[in-house]
Amino acid sequence: MSQDIEKRLNKFISDSGHCSRREADKLIEQNRVKINGQVPELGTKVQPGDEVFVDGKRINKIAENKSDRIYIAYNKPTGITCTTERDVYGNIIDAIRHKERIFPIGRLDKPSEGLIFLTSDGDIVNKILRAENAHDKEYRVTVDQPLSERFVDRMQRGVPILDTITKPCTVKVESRFVFTIILTQGLNRQIRRMCEYLGYEVTRLQRTRIMNVTLNNLKVGQWRNLSEKEMEEINTAVEGSSKTAVNTTLPKQQRTTDQTNSDKLSRQKQSSEPSTASAYYGKVEKSGKVEKSDRNDKYGTNNKSTPKAKKVFINKNAKPSTTTNKPKLSLKRK
């Protein structure tokens, strides 16, 4: 039988719109999939005429022209979890309540909000998500302290997280605490980890654009079907995209070197930042010594501001007094 007719089991399941390939692999590993009544192994190929079942429900092949596939854009609120597991409270499937079976393309952290795609087309998922395919994703980020030139420069050049160095990206400052960032990667909690490495904490994170699709007037919690023009541009953009992942993990020796450099930069940051005057919006007027004094004042350990305790000398040889205090007489007339 020709190779162009048979299809790998995980791809057959994802193409049907049941779930993504990754989820299909999990189903196969959990023995929840059967081909012609038999439990298959990972990598098994589906032949024409084979019957595929997931949890006892038959999976049918769908139209090759993708005319019956679903593509939607959703403005995810905070608190919604990007999972298809219905037993997870606040899962994205229950939040949208679409009549057809769909699954998210990628993830947005539970405390994050903004644009995410959902589809019944498993074939397009990996093409959009793979970092090496360089598809833009834009975010608007709010942090807990004023932005500095050093922060912007380091974010753009790359930060060591998760045993790798993040790819160069574009960062633009919007206001004192807000910036936008355009990524082509999708590492786990990437922006939050990058900011944390540089000593910042993300207080709000919103994804505003994926490739050519933006939120526009889509309100939080609302979803819409992607337009034909949007899908045409997406399909054109992913036409030459790879479906397989490239290993971006650094070799062990390189990871050790990067970790050493990371620790060195962290120590330099701790020693230099108290006296820095590089905030974008107004210089930090306090010097390192004043900053330290203020910090000591906060915890009550500044010797200049805390009065010294008086020394009290006790005569151990003195005998205890046996006299009692007499009440004072009042001269006021009653």
Side-chain angles (χ1 to χ4, degrees):
M1 183 171 294
S2 61
Q3 292 292 326
D4 59 340
I5 296 178
E6 60 189 13
K7 185 179 293 187
R8 291 177 65 92
L9 179 57
N10 60 352
K11 178 172 172 54
F12 181 90
I13 296 174
S14 67
D15 284 352
S16 73
H18 186 83
C19 62
S20 66
R21 288 197 200 185
R22 183 178 299 179
E23 293 294 329
D25 285 335
K26 292 181 181 179
L27 294 173
I28 297 169
E29 290 175 346
Q30 295 169 1
N31 296 330
R32 296 167 59 183
V33 179
K34 290 185 178 181
I35 300 178
N36 302 327
Q38 302 296 320
V39 177
E41 298 179 353
L42 282 173
T44 300
K45 293 185 177 180
V46 179
Q47 310 292 341
D50 285 346
E51 294 183 344
V52 179
F53 291 84
V54 175
D55 295 331
K57 181 180 178 181
R58 183 170 180 175
I59 302 298
N60 296 316
K61 185 178 179 180
I62 58 179
E64 290 296 333
N65 61 4
K66 300 185 179 182
S67 59
D68 54 352
R69 304 189 190 189
I70 299 165
Y71 308 91
I72 70 172
Y74 174 53
N75 191 350
K76 185 189 90 68
T78 58
I80 298 299
T81 304
C82 294
T83 179
T84 57
E85 299 295 331
R86 305 296 289 272
D87 57 342
V88 175
Y89 178 78
N91 68 81
I92 194 170
I93 304 303
D94 288 342
I96 294 177
R97 297 181 181 179
H98 200 281
K99 61 181 181 180
E100 301 294 338
R101 187 180 181 89
I102 55 176
F103 49 89
I105 301 179
R107 296 177 60 86
L108 265 179
D109 296 335
K110 187 175 180 178
S112 302
E113 60 184 295
L115 183 63
I116 186 169
F117 293 159
L118 291 99
T119 183
S120 60
D121 179 10
D123 190 48
I124 202 173
V125 176
N126 289 341
K127 290 183 178 181
I128 293 178
L129 294 182
R130 296 304 182 197
E132 60 271 18
N133 294 333
H135 302 310
D136 288 353
K137 295 180 287 292
E138 187 170 353
Y139 302 81
R140 189 171 187 268
V141 188
T142 306
V143 291
D144 64 337
Q145 53 184 303
L147 300 170
S148 67
E149 293 179 3
R150 175 186 177 276
F151 173 84
V152 174
D153 179 63
R154 288 303 313 278
M155 290 286 284
Q156 291 187 131
R157 287 193 290 115
V159 175
I161 60 171
L162 300 174
D163 294 333
T164 188
I165 304 294
T166 59
K167 289 188 174 184
C169 59
T170 302
V171 176
K172 293 183 180 179
V173 177
E174 280 196 1
S175 63
R176 194 178 185 188
F177 298 91
V178 181
F179 67 93
T180 60
I181 182 171
I182 300 175
L183 300 178
T184 56
Q185 283 179 294
L187 301 177
N188 180 259
R189 299 174 66 86
Q190 180 173 345
I191 296 175
R192 295 180 187 274
R193 292 179 188 272
M194 292 171 72
C195 292
E196 182 181 356
Y197 174 81
L198 297 174
Y200 287 71
E201 182 180 351
V202 174
T203 58
R204 185 186 180 191
L205 194 154
Q206 180 190 40
R207 184 155 65 192
T208 57
R209 178 174 65 87
I210 301 175
M211 302 172 70
N212 61 305
V213 182
T214 61
L215 282 174
N216 285 335
N217 297 323
L218 194 63
K219 296 181 180 179
V220 176
Q222 289 185 339
W223 62 269
R224 65 173 177 83
N225 292 314
L226 294 177
S227 66
E228 292 184 5
K229 182 179 179 181
E230 287 172 331
M231 284 309 306
E232 183 179 346
E233 292 177 353
I234 290 175
N235 285 323
T236 300
V238 302
E239 188 175 2
S241 295
S242 169
K243 300 178 184 179
T244 57
V246 173
N247 185 9
T248 58
T249 303
L250 297 176
K252 184 176 181 180
Q253 182 179 1
Q254 183 66 33
R255 290 201 305 267
T256 304
T257 303
D258 287 334
Q259 185 61 45
T260 302
N261 294 336
S262 171
D263 295 340
K264 183 179 179 181
L265 287 169
S266 181
R267 289 193 297 270
Q268 290 175 350
K269 171 180 175 294
Q270 292 175 359
S271 62
S272 63
E273 283 198 345
S275 59
T276 186
S278 60
Y280 266 101
Y281 297 87
K283 292 186 177 181
V284 181
E285 296 180 354
K286 296 180 180 179
S287 66
K289 292 183 179 179
V290 177
E291 186 102 6
K292 184 177 181 181
S293 297
D294 289 346
R295 187 163 55 249
N296 288 340
D297 288 343
K298 181 179 179 181
Y299 297 100
T301 57
N302 186 1
N303 293 333
K304 292 183 179 180
S305 61
T306 305
K308 294 183 178 180
K310 295 182 178 180
K311 295 183 179 180
V312 179
F313 296 93
I314 300 174
N315 187 356
K316 296 182 180 180
N317 297 325
K319 294 181 180 181
S321 176
T322 58
T323 60
T324 57
N325 294 330
K326 296 180 180 181
K328 293 182 180 181
L329 296 176
S330 175
L331 299 179
K332 291 183 179 180
R333 187 176 179 181
K334 294 184 179 180

